[in-house]
Amino acid sequence: MKNTLILVSALIISLNAIGQKKEPNNCLNNIHLEPSFIAFTTHKNSELGNWYKNTFGLKIVKEFAFPDGSTTGVLMKKGEFVVEIFFRNDALKKSELKPGSNSEQWSGFMKFGFYTDANLVTLKACLKRKNINAGRIFKDDNLGVDLLQVIDPEGNILEIISRHKK
């Protein structure tokens, strides 16, 4: 009788777990991302698309290929926060531009920032637990914002921005 009761209890717990909707394990699930559009070019075997999809909880809305076969891509979004990734067959790695140089020397944008309603201290701790390169939080009193620096797997720098509370 005791074993039957334990088995019935375990079955009820299992059935309840099946009925529950699993939320993705994502630090940005409940954070509002203000409208932004970011586009990246990377090599054809890059995992950058999956990193952005999983890190920001994005949904794929379009996959595409150039007619000449040189590039494929993916367009993803969460609300009006949009990320587009171009996977090029002939993409150069940053290190190939000039061996020994660092990204701060290269032409082009240094980083991309976007606004959120996030508590950056909490967000940083969550991202670090997931082995995401979340660095310093800079308090910019001139702009009235705090900026959390995040570096994606290919070295692109993102600033997640939160306005100071008034």
Side-chain angles (χ1 to χ4, degrees):
M1 179 73 163
K2 185 176 179 182
N3 287 342
T4 303
L5 185 57
I6 291 170
L7 286 174
V8 169
S9 296
L11 181 59
I12 290 170
I13 291 169
S14 296
L15 289 173
N16 285 336
I18 291 170
Q20 293 174 354
K21 189 176 181 182
K22 286 253 182 189
E23 287 295 318
N25 195 5
N26 182 309
C27 297
L28 291 141
N29 263 3
N30 298 317
I31 293 175
H32 172 72
L33 303 172
E34 292 189 17
S36 298
F37 187 98
I38 310 170
F40 297 97
T41 296
T42 188
H43 59 91
K44 67 179 181 176
N45 296 318
S46 172
E47 288 296 319
L48 200 59
N50 286 330
W51 187 87
Y52 276 91
K53 179 179 177 280
N54 296 332
T55 300
F56 291 93
L58 304 173
K59 301 283 186 234
I60 295 174
V61 295
K62 178 181 176 184
E63 294 183 62
F64 57 89
F66 286 15
D68 67 0
S70 66
T71 304
T72 60
V74 62
L75 185 67
M76 304 171 283
K77 67 184 258 181
K78 176 181 175 183
E80 293 181 281
F81 184 85
V82 179
V83 175
E84 186 172 31
I85 310 282
F86 293 90
F87 302 97
R88 293 193 55 92
N89 295 337
D90 62 352
L92 295 174
K93 293 181 180 177
K94 289 179 182 178
S95 62
E96 293 171 336
L97 297 177
K98 180 180 175 192
S101 66
N102 68 51
S103 62
E104 294 171 358
Q105 297 173 287
W106 302 329
S107 297
F109 76 88
M110 288 182 57
K111 58 183 105 177
F112 183 87
F114 54 90
Y115 287 84
T116 72
D117 61 353
N119 174 317
L120 297 183
V121 173
T122 303
L123 177 59
K124 176 182 176 177
C126 180
L127 292 170
K128 296 281 266 177
R129 282 193 303 275
K130 298 186 175 306
N131 297 315
I132 293 174
N133 189 351
R136 57 107 179 109
I137 296 174
F138 179 73
K139 296 186 179 305
D140 191 320
D141 293 327
N142 295 313
L143 294 176
V145 298
D146 296 338
L147 304 104
L148 169 61
Q149 186 178 79
V150 175
I151 303 173
D152 75 18
E154 294 187 9
N156 299 301
I157 300 171
L158 307 171
E159 294 280 2
I160 301 176
I161 307 167
S162 182
R163 293 175 182 88
H164 289 166
K165 304 291 185 222
K166 293 181 182 183

